[in-house]
Amino acid sequence: MRKGRNIPLTVYALGVYLFLFTPIVVLVLFSFNDSPRNFMWRGFTLEWYPVLFKDARVLGALWISIQVAAIAVAGSTVLGTLLGLGLARLRGGFGGGIADTLILLPMVTPEVVMGISLLLFFALLFDAHGSILQIAISHIAFSISYVTIVVRARAVSLDPRIVEAARDLGSSPLSAFWHVTLPLLMPAVGAGAMIAFALSFDDLIITSFQAGPGSSTLPLYIYSRIRFGVTPEINAISTIIVSVTAVIILVAWRIGAVKPAKPQPTI
Amino acid sequence: MTDRQPSGEELARLQALMAVPLSRRRLLQRAAGLGALAVIAPAAAACGTAASPSPASSPSPTAAPQPSASAGASTPAAPTAQPTPQPKPEAELFVYNYADYIGDTTIADFEAKYGVKVTYDFFDTYDTMTAKIADGHSGYDVTFVTSVDVPGFFKNGLVQPLDLALIPNRANLAAEWANPGYDPDNAHSMPYMWWTTGVAYDSARVSGEPTSWKTLWDPAYKGHLAMLDDYRETFAAALIQLGFSANTVSDTELDAALALLQQQKPLLRTYTADDIGALASGDVWVCHAWAADARQAMAERPTIKYYLPEEGAIRGSDTMVLLAGAQHPIAAQLFIDFMLDASVSAANTNKTGYMGPNEAARTFIDPSILSDPTLNPGEAAIAKLQELLDLGPDLAKYHDRWSKLRAGA
Amino acid sequence: MMRGRLREGALLFPGISWLFVFFAAPLAIIFVVSLGQRDAYGGAVLDKGLSFANYLRALEPSFLPTVANSLKYATATTLLAIGISYPIAYWISRHGGRRKGLLLILVMLPFWTSWVIRTYAWMIILRDNGVLNGVLQATGITHDPLILLNTDFAVVLGMTYGFLPFSILPLYVSIDRVDVSVVAAARDLYSSPGQAFRHVTLPLTMPGVIAASLLTFIPAIGDFVTPDILGGAQTTTIAKVIQSLFLSARDWPFGAALGFLLILATVIGTVSTLRILRAEVIG
């Protein structure tokens, strides 16, 4: 299969991308729907975009979501990467087993249980009643596990001799981590950060209990409007988010910021 | 709640919220919050006694006439009288409401009139709101509570008595709303909107003119029937059909209702919170629905019709309340007053399709809404409607059966 | 060796502390709630004695169909997600060339909209008068619209779609780790590409498969929103029951007890599965 083309596999891959993007295409299409209720196609219009840009509430909610996601991604990626690496090095053992379970727990805890527990926790111990920071802290608490699992999967298969070699060549532990381990882990760290972003940007249930006055995120705003139907305005903002993300990614990729995972040096 | 000492009840509530031994600091805080209200309330005596030791000793709604003394024993005689001297509202106000449940410019108009900056948030579900305000200081000043919950919320210290002197527009209320059963003399809540709950159907899919709840049990429409995801409303539909009260606490009657609902479940497509979407999309042909929602679905699908079943149906209302721990009580009560202004109230109705309790607003309401029998049923139809009541601890009987219904195969 | 342990400790400390403070401590509060009695407006009555009564209530047989439903959805979702993800992850890793990074990010792109709105998009697609029924009818495959929304099908479809990136990414990471020259050597060793894959690539990528399964199965068991929006009257899941106990029924103690049982069952299930898999795959 060296460098060869595998036609059936390529066709299959395109099929999967089609599946992934079908809802997005529908979403974008229906942002031009001339119907306030948006159940069926009623004709083409551009009116929802100006409506959106005048709607301070939607844009405010989007801005809050972005702030929350930025803090949550940074926090959970750093903490999760360290954890993943540490656990990979422990390779089981009693401490590892406990840590394993602790990491598993946030993933298996029903969101509403976690949401209410955090609501009580912040209200009782800190007298806090919802803020961007409180939402972000909660997001980090449930995102760490995902980052950890992804990073550990790669770290486990990392050859410890590479780091040892670097140490033998006189690197400090920190510099060995920074210059050797981290670059090797980077694809997993990147993947973990992406998952953390998606989780934070998406979360509804836990967020709904952590949001206070003036800190409603975009999913919260949208979900609260379900009762009266989602208008194409919401499709319009989703379209803009996807477009902006796509453009940023394409540009980053063009200028080489998004590199494929480097082949791992073999010893 | 009859079998419990009030103080024990309050203690338990606080403990539940803290899951640690009762903290004096918080108790003091809440007492202080109520104390602040006492300062601004002319009826300081009435409220003051309620506030000082702990909210547990506050008057129960049945003893409510007390605070109404502050309204000046007025049968609404002087509607335009401004409170004298006009108190200065705080600079900010935090309002918590359903989405799209207010006129388009209402908030901006209030901000302009009083120079108050309003933070207006939506709750995703009513239950999320309830969970958030349950600890007595959510950061919000005003929220919108179903009338059923008003007595219980007050008894549990979640809402404060209103200073009626700050709400002169109360005079605009129709007579039946000035002294409603759930809250005598509007002591703790001001009515906002009312509705009926009945059956909506797509006349293009359903033959004849259905008149009964039984249509929602018709196997001919299997897969295209939906009930509301609301346990009180859904049980009411079954209870009324069986000829029982929608507020029954009899186990036999409730078991019969549960059996009827279990029999219906395999025919249902969904228990929905979005009755508008279910109907307007064409997925559901017969739907348990709120009247104003049915009207909104008609806008998208003109063949939708709505009726109040002959067996009887439900009438309910939402109220505006001042939350315990509100940091901006004056602005909050001026806001509630503003919402009762005739033209503001009419604008809210024109936008949402829900009828307000506001007599003075009728002249400003869109005639198509006023003449719509879906939204404004005649006297005879209204006479057959039941109002859902606060059942206290007996509510658990509904919860348990609802869980059983939803979880069962 | 002691110094090594210390270093690992330093790596673990920040994350573990975070989880202790912002996850375990709040959960402890809720655990206390689960021992109490229901209060009419949410919260719990704790001064009337604490007991495990709510846990016994949770074991009533009336909850069995719901548990079965949840397991059914999570299992179907995991199998589908892994089945769909492995080949695409493999394709990106082996045939992506310079575009690997881009292809990977394209996988995530749909998930950077909002979850709620993506699910709404599926509603538009799956409704009786929706896009899919439109296509099926236009092409003459069906005559009358199929009921797709509010069914098992819609729930599994929505979950599979929703968790796909969580399985593609870890699979990609572990497939990409497998040295191409090892596979080449295997190709020389075994007679067919299939055998080479089964005996070399698959075992080497097993950690990724396990990670992907966990990242799919566990959230699928706890997922509330997909069955809520795409499901219907017959698709109740255990997470949905817990949600409604906390919110509409305002029975926090019982909801908490049911939640803890779910946590317990999932942890035991996952940890033992991991043990067995690790013993077989790694040991």
Side-chain angles (χ1 to χ4, degrees), chain B residues 304-383:
Chain B
I304 301 282
K305 289 184 173 164
Y306 175 86
Y307 64 92
L308 291 170
E310 59 200 1
E311 297 95 337
I314 293 297
R315 180 189 194 183
S317 64
D318 275 335
T319 69
M320 301 175 278
V321 297
L322 174 62
L323 287 166
Q327 299 292 306
H328 315 95
I330 296 174
Q333 291 175 93
L334 290 178
F335 176 77
I336 291 174
D337 181 60
F338 183 76
M339 295 288 269
L340 291 178
D341 177 88
S343 58
V344 173
S345 172
N348 291 339
T349 293
N350 290 338
K351 162 76 185 184
T352 63
Y354 280 91
M355 280 302 295
N358 202 316
E359 192 61 43
R362 291 184 80 89
T363 41
F364 304 105
I365 294 178
D366 183 343
S368 77
I369 292 181
L370 278 182
S371 61
D372 186 335
T374 308
L375 306 172
N376 264 311
E379 298 279 322
I382 286 185

Side-chain angles (χ1 to χ4, degrees), chain C:
Chain C
M1 204 58 225
M2 196 55 220
R3 256 188 45 198
R5 287 274 160 198
L6 271 178
R7 210 159 55 224
E8 281 138 20
L11 287 172
L12 297 179
F13 183 76
I16 295 288
S17 327
W18 191 280
L19 289 176
F20 256 106
V21 175
F22 295 113
F23 174 75
L27 213 57
I29 297 179
I30 280 285
F31 179 69
V32 175
V33 168
S34 79
L35 302 176
Q37 291 168 35
R38 134 197 307 174
D39 195 5
Y41 294 90
V45 180
L46 300 179
D47 61 346
K48 285 182 151 187
L50 303 178
S51 75
F52 282 93
N54 292 308
Y55 289 84
L56 293 176
R57 263 175 86 199
L59 299 175
E60 273 177 29
S62 61
F63 289 103
L64 278 180
T66 313
V67 174
N69 250 354
S70 294
L71 286 174
K72 184 175 77 186
Y73 296 142
T75 308
T77 300
T78 308
L79 292 177
L80 273 172
I82 301 283
I84 294 173
S85 302
Y86 200 100
I88 183 114
Y90 187 89
W91 179 78
I92 296 175
S93 169
R94 293 290 183 260
H95 301 271
R98 289 190 308 115
R99 294 190 183 78
K100 274 183 190 177
L102 182 71
L103 288 171
L104 217 50
I105 286 175
L106 280 180
V107 168
M108 289 301 289
L109 188 60
F111 298 87
W112 286 340
T113 57
S114 164
W115 185 92
V116 185
I117 200 69
R118 276 199 313 277
T119 313
Y120 256 85
W122 279 115
M123 288 183 82
I124 296 174
I125 296 171
L126 296 176
R127 284 189 188 284
D128 288 9
N129 299 304
V131 177
L132 185 52
N133 266 315
V135 171
L136 288 175
Q137 283 169 291
T139 53
I141 295 173
T142 56
H143 179 65
D144 291 318
L146 301 173
I147 296 184
L148 301 169
L149 190 63
N150 312 113
T151 60
D152 288 351
F153 168 75
V155 175
V156 172
L157 177 71
M159 283 190 180
T160 306
Y161 180 81
F163 297 128
L164 215 46
F166 295 166
S167 57
I168 292 179
L169 289 182
L171 282 170
Y172 165 80
V173 168
S174 78
I175 293 171
D176 202 49
R177 274 282 301 131
V178 176
D179 200 319
V180 186
S181 55
V182 174
V183 182
R187 290 288 304 280
D188 296 338
L189 209 62
Y190 292 99
S191 50
S192 75
Q195 274 185 326
F197 175 80
R198 209 165 56 241
H199 292 289
V200 179
T201 312
L202 190 60
L204 283 175
T205 53
M206 216 49 201
V209 174
I210 295 170
S213 311
L214 286 183
L215 288 172
T216 311
F217 187 86
I218 295 171
I221 276 281
D223 186 20
F224 155 77
V225 194
T226 310
D228 185 50
I229 294 190
L230 296 180
Q234 333 294 339
T235 65
T236 311
T237 61
I238 195 73
K240 204 161 153 35
V241 169
I242 294 172
Q243 183 93 0
S244 80
L245 280 172
F246 267 102
L247 295 179
S248 44
R250 294 177 198 159
D251 190 347
W252 289 19
F254 189 29
L258 216 51
F260 272 100
L261 287 177
L262 175 60
I263 295 171
L264 199 68
T266 321
V267 169
I268 292 174
T270 315
V271 169
S272 49
T273 311
L274 273 180
R275 282 271 151 80
I276 296 165
L277 285 176
R278 281 226 183 95
E280 273 179 12
V281 174
I282 300 165

Side-chain angles (χ1 to χ4, degrees), chain B residues 225-228 268-273 278 284, chain C residues 150 228 231-234:
Chain B
L225 300 167
M227 295 297 284
L228 286 171
L268 289 182
R269 178 147 184 168
T270 180
Y271 295 95
T272 185
V284 170
Chain C
N150 312 113
D228 185 50
Q234 333 294 339

Side-chain angles (χ1 to χ4, degrees), chain B residues 94-119:
Chain B
F94 291 88
V95 180
Y96 203 22
N97 193 1
Y98 294 99
D100 297 302
Y101 197 35
I102 195 168
D104 285 328
T105 62
T106 306
I107 295 294
D109 294 347
F110 176 77
E111 288 182 320
K113 180 170 179 189
Y114 288 101
V116 173
K117 189 191 171 304
V118 180
T119 301

